[in-house]
Amino acid sequence: MSELPKTFDPAAIESKWYAHWEETGAFRPERPDAEPYTIVNPPPNVTGSLHIGHALDNTLQDILIRHARLQGKDALWVVGTDHAGIATQMVVERQLNERQQKRTDFTREDFVAKVWEWKEESGGQITRQLRRLGCSMDWANERFTMDEGFSRAVLKVFVDLYNEGLIYRDKRLVNWDPGLKTAISDLEVETREVNGKFWHFRYPLADGSGHISVATTRPETMLADMAVAVNPEDDRYKALIGTKVRLPITGREIPIVADEHADPELGSGAVKITPGHDFNDFEVGKRAGIKAADMLNMLDAEAKVVQTADGLIPTDYLGLDRFDARKKVVEAIDALGLLDKVEDRVIQTPFGDRSAQVIEPWLTDQWYVDAETLAKPAIEAVKSGAIKVVPQSWEKTYFNWMENIQPWCVSRQLWWGHRIPAWYDADGKPYVAEDEAAAQALAGEGKSLTRDPDVLDTWFSSALWPFGTLGWPEETTALSRHYPNDVLISGFDILFFWDARMAMQGIHFMKDVPWRTLYLHGLVRAADGQKMSKSKGNVVDPLGLIDQYGADALRFFMAAMESQGRDVKMDEKRVEGYRNFATKLWNAARFCQSNGIGASGSVAAPAATTAVNRWIIGEVVDTLAKLDKAFEELRFDGMADTIYHFVWGTFCDWYLELIKPEIQGDEGAAAAETRAVAGWVLDQILVMLHPFMPFITEELWHALGDRPYDLIHAQWPKPEATVDVSATAQIEWVQSLIAQVRATKNDLGVPPGKTVTAFISKAEQKQFDWLNANLLAVKRMARLDQISVRTPDGFRDLGFELDGVIISGDLAVEVEGEGQVQLVADGIVGSLDFFGIVDLDAERARITKAIEAAMKEAKSLEGRLNNPAFVEKAKPEAVEKARADHAEKAAEAERLTAALARLG
């Protein structure tokens, strides 16, 4: 037991306790016979640094893990990092560029070796930062998506899926990133609004009888047009279906086909079809009988113009960047007199989320997963309840995406990553196996094989995280104990990137769901509700907040603000407020320590005889029940709200204040009992608060007494007590009486420390006894210099025997004398004496005026809220603020009306 410093300094305790926990193996105690509890951490990119979204995600996970550990469970929090193919290769290539080198200056093996070197030297930044947040992860078994064991799992999954016909190679359109020179997934494409144009061209009919008009936002693609589509019900073009047009510039003759993709109401109703460079056109082309192998491609990997298979593109276009080609095509069409008009349009344009380059639909050979087949069991798992989605409102989004899922392109044109285990013979036939020897055995002797140069999409490997990290494909003890995981905490933004794919792969290979519960949280937004971005300058650095307010304050903020189905709005003032909350607890512990209150050492509640002690034990029981329910329902805001109000309000502001006269005076049995109860309650607080604020609670746990174990391994509270209804009624009455005196002073502008006299005119016996039993606490907390009770002999100071004489019966309000303000509580009537302190006539006038102003404002706000035009068209934040303001003004009017009534 050590004396606590006067000032709470988060930095001084955080590094000390984290190092202690990690060195002693506290995050993974040996509990082979305990109930397992498992969470896998979404592996952050090895290139990453802690951002505010990580802070939310990992805080929520750590709360659950620490809670499970306190419950005595075998709590495992799997940790590791993702090799992040594109991101990591970009980092290393940028470093090479700074030295005037590029990737292709090296062999593939040498470049990959350089990436591994970078990973060993610089790849641990985010794991160090997770430690600063207090994350109690299983660092001793940290994983990496390209470590040897996990890589074996990845290879086996690919080979098994291929052998089952669930992975195949196909020529299809992909999202091609010309900056990175690789395919990327739909989920890695950002759609932005760009000011562009809508060009209207006239395509001459091949027989010379006229022309047909088409419109496009990408004129350069006309160099690879293969058809013009019209709606089969469009009377304007029925006669032209089956005829041909002759393309300007190339002279290629292409058919006019009927397809419902063409909208008669949009533009001319005719659409140019470029199946090799547009996703919709690709499908139209297939329906028109054009095979993928015959679709024309006019761009290379850098989005520069190349010759099409029919050789009809004029040579002066070859080698041009796509945007230069666009300009040249428009000039040529105009020169031919075939440019109808040009409209300014806002175009929805796809960009690569990493390269910021405009994405080009490009026809290439890639590897695909049959996601539709794998999705069916994953859909059924949610429908049957095998996977519980929280909040349930996300199920609709999940089903919509999964039921319309497209083939998953899993090949990437990179060097860093899991290289695809496929080898080709001279004829291009693939042989898929876990290693080259096995592939050679499949091909037969004498065939020369070349390995596929591509790597797998990063999300392909991370989809195996729930079982690959536990030793699969080996049948390990960890796998049998910890799969399925209990819960996955995930941002909704990676529901399809990662969560759905884990469900598909986990069910397919493990024949069970990867986790029983999927909890989806929102984004952390700026204070005004905008999405954080560097370009807006509104990004908040969580490490800066930790430096300023401490990790515990940031963690508690994240829990308090995490409300199911809603985004978190960043509010630094609230983070500061939770630092003040930690300081409040620190000062309460110092008070206890200085008054002989220390560690209890007991799980069960001590015996208690006084009402205040029986009441606080009941409050612990009630708080624990609310906390347990919030944990069960994964309501993090409910958890934080429950423990916050118990610590700040119930324990610090009420219990410690109520017991001060007892522990600072008498040294008898009652004082000893109170010290024992207070020490026990403080122990329960430290345990219940530990999952949210691990650092300060561990520090206080040891400062308050010699402990045989760390708080991280304590037992979740089991009070073995009940709520004492009579004690609760008594203390709540005392609280109400004190609060009313304080409120009356506040309404009259009297300083809270100013003492006044209370006169009790009438009282029920029970309330009189309660007041007498808590006299010292009431006088001190309400700042009353005297409490006088009316007896048959006149008013007498309360605090001595009244020989059983008590005025009871009629409790009608009775205020006598100048300067008297009404005081009414359950079972008691009296007044407060403000004579010489307050001009009551002036106060009546002031309060009446304030009531009128509050009611006027409330009525105005009510009118706005009853106006559908405001509610439907205003920003949600504005509507929410109006509702809050209305409630505030209405409550203010009600409070002031009650205050006016007390003045008589």
Side-chain angles (χ1 to χ4, degrees):
M1 181 171 177
S2 58
E3 184 177 348
L4 286 166
K6 184 177 180 180
T7 303
F8 168 53
D9 180 8
I13 64 173
E14 289 174 2
S15 57
K16 176 182 77 172
W17 283 115
Y18 200 93
H20 171 79
W21 290 327
E22 192 165 2
E23 288 165 5
T24 58
F27 301 149
R28 196 77 177 92
E30 288 294 326
R31 294 176 177 175
D33 300 323
E35 176 188 350
Y37 184 87
T38 314
I39 295 177
V40 295
N41 177 249
N45 287 354
V46 70
T47 58
S49 59
L50 192 73
H51 59 62
I52 203 71
H54 289 133
L56 171 64
D57 196 72
N58 286 280
T59 292
L60 303 184
Q61 293 175 69
D62 198 38
I63 287 169
L64 297 185
I65 280 290
R66 287 182 182 270
H67 175 246
R69 197 181 289 119
L70 291 167
Q71 289 181 308
K73 296 178 182 179
D74 179 20
L76 169 63
W77 189 5
V78 175
V79 63
T81 49
D82 194 292
H83 66 278
I86 294 175
T88 307
Q89 183 162 316
M90 283 178 66
V91 168
V92 177
E93 288 202 57
R94 276 199 297 266
Q95 289 184 346
L96 291 176
N97 292 340
E98 290 171 4
R99 298 194 293 266
Q100 283 73 52
Q101 294 177 308
K102 55 183 184 293
R103 169 170 55 95
T104 51
D105 292 342
F106 302 88
T107 65
R108 181 177 187 135
E109 292 71 20
D110 288 344
F111 176 79
V112 169
K114 285 188 176 295
V115 182
W116 277 106
E117 287 174 14
W118 175 89
K119 188 260 181 186
E120 296 305 317
E121 293 173 4
S122 308
Q125 178 179 342
I126 194 163
T127 58
R128 292 189 294 272
Q129 293 168 339
L130 288 170
R131 287 171 167 89
R132 286 205 61 194
L133 189 63
C135 298
S136 57
M137 296 160 158
D138 184 20
W139 295 111
N141 295 296
E142 183 180 349
R143 301 304 301 268
F144 180 54
T145 51
M146 281 182 63
D147 66 32
E148 185 177 350
F150 201 85
S151 293
R152 185 182 168 217
V154 173
L155 291 176
K156 178 172 174 55
V157 164
F158 187 96
V159 173
D160 287 359
L161 290 176
Y162 177 81
N163 289 334
E164 294 169 28
L166 296 173
I167 279 186
Y168 56 92
R169 193 161 171 81
D170 195 10
K171 184 183 288 292
R172 297 175 61 93
L173 277 187
V174 297
N175 297 304
W176 185 262
D177 188 319
L180 300 176
K181 300 181 186 63
T182 181
I184 62 173
S185 74
D186 292 344
L187 302 171
E188 293 166 305
V189 175
E190 289 182 352
T191 300
R192 305 178 194 169
E193 290 188 344
V194 174
N195 290 326
K197 296 186 184 298
F198 210 35
W199 288 272
H200 295 256
F201 294 167
R202 290 197 301 272
Y203 281 0
L205 297 176
D207 63 5
S209 62
H211 67 267
I212 191 168
S213 292
V214 297
T216 180
T217 59
R218 298 161 65 213
E220 69 280 6
T221 60
M222 63 86 61
L223 298 173
D225 278 358
M226 299 189 74
V228 171
V230 296
N231 193 286
E233 302 304 317
D234 193 331
D235 291 335
R236 293 171 297 175
Y237 301 120
K238 281 184 177 180
L240 294 179
I241 295 172
T243 65
K244 292 186 177 183
V245 301
R246 180 175 290 108
L247 284 178
I249 302 177
T250 63
R252 181 183 306 118
E253 291 192 0
I254 59 175
I256 297 175
V257 300
D259 196 284
E260 291 184 353
H261 170 65
D263 183 353
E265 303 298 321
L266 185 63
S268 68
V271 184
K272 62 185 284 300
I273 301 299
T274 320
H277 294 283
D278 182 276
F279 288 101
N280 289 321
D281 293 3
F282 179 79
E283 298 300 328
V284 174
K286 286 200 300 183
R287 290 193 290 271
I290 303 173
K291 296 179 180 178
D294 297 329
M295 292 178 182
L296 297 177
N297 176 39
M298 55 161 284
L299 296 173
D300 64 11
E302 295 180 339
K304 292 181 178 179
V305 178
V306 294
Q307 188 57 270
T308 50
D310 57 10
L312 294 178
I313 297 179
T315 56
D316 54 339
Y317 285 84
L318 302 181
L320 289 179
D321 175 81
R322 54 186 161 162
F323 300 117
D324 292 332
R326 175 176 301 177
K327 182 178 178 182
K328 189 175 180 65
V329 164
V330 171
E331 289 174 348
I333 295 290
D334 191 19
L336 291 169
L338 298 175
L339 179 62
D340 257 352
K341 60 181 177 178
V342 182
E343 297 177 75
D344 290 329
R345 283 284 183 92
V346 175
I347 311 297
Q348 300 292 322
T349 306
F351 286 80
D353 63 354
R354 293 191 182 278
S355 70
Q357 296 281 318
V358 175
I359 296 305
E360 195 67 44
W362 204 43
L363 194 63
T364 63
D365 291 309
Q366 303 283 346
W367 289 94
Y368 291 88
V369 170
D370 180 359
E372 183 180 0
T373 298
L374 291 178
K376 290 175 182 175
I379 293 169
E380 181 55 34
V382 173
K383 286 183 175 179
S384 69
I387 294 175
K388 178 183 177 183
V389 179
V390 180
Q392 191 176 3
S393 56
W394 278 107
E395 286 186 3
K396 182 178 179 180
T397 306
Y398 175 86
F399 291 139
N400 183 59
W401 191 76
M402 294 287 272
E403 289 167 356
N404 295 282
I405 199 167
Q406 297 298 306
W408 175 17
C409 176
V410 294
S411 46
R412 298 290 182 268
Q413 290 63 53
L414 303 170
W415 282 1
W416 171 249
H418 294 103
R419 194 166 176 182
I420 290 174
W423 286 260
Y424 302 93
D425 61 20
D427 296 326
K429 181 181 179 181
Y431 300 91
V432 175
E434 290 187 35
D435 56 45
E436 187 172 5
Q440 191 68 64
L442 290 173
E445 292 185 13
K447 282 192 176 181
S448 177
L449 299 181
T450 303
R451 188 167 186 176
D452 194 310
D454 292 351
V455 300
L456 286 166
D457 176 14
T458 296
W459 297 101
F460 183 90
S461 51
S462 59
L464 318 183
W465 199 244
F467 57 94
T469 53
L470 299 174
W472 187 90
E474 301 298 327
E475 293 290 338
T476 64
T477 302
L479 187 64
S480 61
R481 273 183 66 74
H482 294 283
Y483 190 95
N485 310 158
D486 287 84
V487 61
L488 178 74
I489 304 288
S490 168
F492 74 84
D493 53 332
I494 56 172
L495 173 59
F496 308 122
F497 268 123
W498 191 48
D499 307 343
R501 289 162 175 175
M502 278 190 288
M504 291 189 283
Q505 298 284 43
I507 294 171
H508 186 77
F509 285 96
M510 298 298 297
K511 310 308 177 189
D512 202 349
V513 296
W515 5 258
R516 302 298 186 198
T517 300
L518 170 60
Y519 181 92
L520 296 167
H521 60 75
L523 302 176
V524 182
R525 295 185 176 273
D528 60 2
Q530 290 193 64
K531 189 172 181 179
M532 290 187 187
S533 70
K534 290 180 181 178
S535 61
K536 294 176 183 174
N538 62 356
V539 174
V540 175
D541 177 15
L543 297 174
L545 294 173
I546 291 173
D547 289 338
Q548 191 165 0
Y549 304 111
D552 285 335
L554 178 59
R555 289 168 60 103
F556 203 90
F557 168 81
M558 291 300 180
M561 298 299 286
E562 170 51 30
S563 180
Q564 289 181 13
R566 301 183 67 179
D567 288 338
V568 171
K569 286 185 180 179
M570 194 62 228
D571 185 345
E572 189 169 337
K573 279 292 181 185
R574 289 197 67 160
V575 180
E576 182 181 8
Y578 293 129
R579 194 273 313 277
N580 295 342
F581 173 56
T583 300
K584 180 94 169 177
L585 176 62
W586 183 271
N587 291 336
R590 287 185 68 245
F591 169 81
C592 289
Q593 193 180 62
S594 65
N595 284 278
I597 299 170
S600 165
S602 172
V603 174
T609 58
T610 65
V612 71
N613 288 332
R614 287 182 284 124
W615 162 74
I616 195 63
I617 289 171
E619 289 296 296
V620 171
V621 172
D622 183 59
T623 298
L624 181 63
K626 292 176 181 175
L627 202 51
D628 286 342
K629 187 172 188 295
F631 267 105
E632 183 182 346
E633 296 175 352
L634 294 178
R635 295 196 175 275
F636 292 93
D637 53 347
M639 301 172 200
D641 184 69
T642 296
I643 191 64
Y644 178 90
H645 284 99
F646 177 73
V647 174
W648 188 296
T650 306
F651 182 71
C652 294
D653 283 356
W654 285 108
Y655 179 67
L656 292 184
E657 295 298 325
L658 288 168
I659 67 173
K660 275 183 179 178
E662 189 74 65
I663 62 174
Q664 291 180 333
D666 187 21
E667 293 295 331
E673 172 193 304
T674 298
R675 288 190 175 91
V677 171
W680 177 82
V681 174
L682 186 51
D683 271 6
Q684 308 317 298
I685 284 172
L686 296 179
V687 178
M688 290 189 290
L689 187 57
H690 179 74
F692 308 89
M693 293 181 138
F695 294 112
I696 188 174
T697 52
E698 189 74 80
E699 178 74 11
L700 295 178
W701 176 261
H702 288 278
L704 291 170
D706 296 326
R707 309 282 191 169
Y709 47 80
D710 291 337
L711 174 60
I712 194 174
H713 295 150
Q715 182 176 326
W716 190 249
K718 294 179 180 177
E720 299 178 13
T722 57
V723 175
D724 189 313
V725 177
S726 63
T728 298
Q730 179 179 155
I731 301 304
E732 287 182 351
W733 182 85
V734 169
Q735 289 174 312
S736 175
L737 180 63
I738 294 168
Q740 188 175 145
V741 174
R742 289 173 171 173
T744 301
K745 288 183 180 181
N746 180 66
D747 290 339
L748 296 175
V750 176
K754 180 71 175 176
T755 59
V756 297
T757 296
F759 293 97
I760 307 300
S761 303
K762 299 176 182 180
E764 296 285 5
Q765 183 69 52
K766 179 171 65 175
Q767 280 75 17
F768 176 80
D769 290 342
W770 287 351
L771 179 58
N772 216 15
N774 297 277
L775 179 62
L776 292 177
V778 171
K779 288 177 70 176
R780 194 182 64 79
M781 294 182 72
R783 296 295 189 267
L784 298 173
D785 54 11
Q786 186 177 329
I787 301 177
S788 292
V789 177
R790 191 175 70 178
T791 73
D793 300 324
F795 280 97
R796 300 183 62 184
D797 187 19
L798 184 60
F800 54 84
E801 289 295 327
L802 293 179
D803 300 325
V805 178
I806 182 69
I807 305 300
S808 62
D810 179 19
L811 292 177
V813 173
E814 186 175 320
V815 179
E816 300 175 353
E818 186 179 352
Q820 301 293 304
V821 176
Q822 182 188 117
L823 176 66
V824 180
D826 178 32
I828 195 169
V829 172
S831 63
L832 296 172
D833 184 6
F834 288 97
F835 181 74
I837 301 173
V838 175
D839 181 341
L840 295 187
D841 288 336
E843 282 302 310
R844 288 187 188 95
R846 182 186 66 81
I847 293 174
T848 300
K849 187 175 181 181
I851 291 171
E852 291 171 354
M855 292 180 70
K856 181 179 180 182
E857 184 66 21
K859 187 174 181 180
S860 173
L861 288 163
E862 184 178 3
R864 292 179 71 191
L865 291 168
N866 287 334
N867 182 353
F870 171 72
V871 175
E872 293 168 9
K873 295 178 182 178
K875 290 183 177 180
E877 309 92 76
V879 176
E880 187 177 335
K881 185 178 186 306
R883 288 196 177 109
D885 290 346
H886 175 264
E888 180 184 344
K889 291 300 177 182
E892 182 182 344
E894 185 178 346
R895 176 180 61 79
L896 291 170
T897 301
L900 185 62
R902 286 197 294 272
L903 297 183

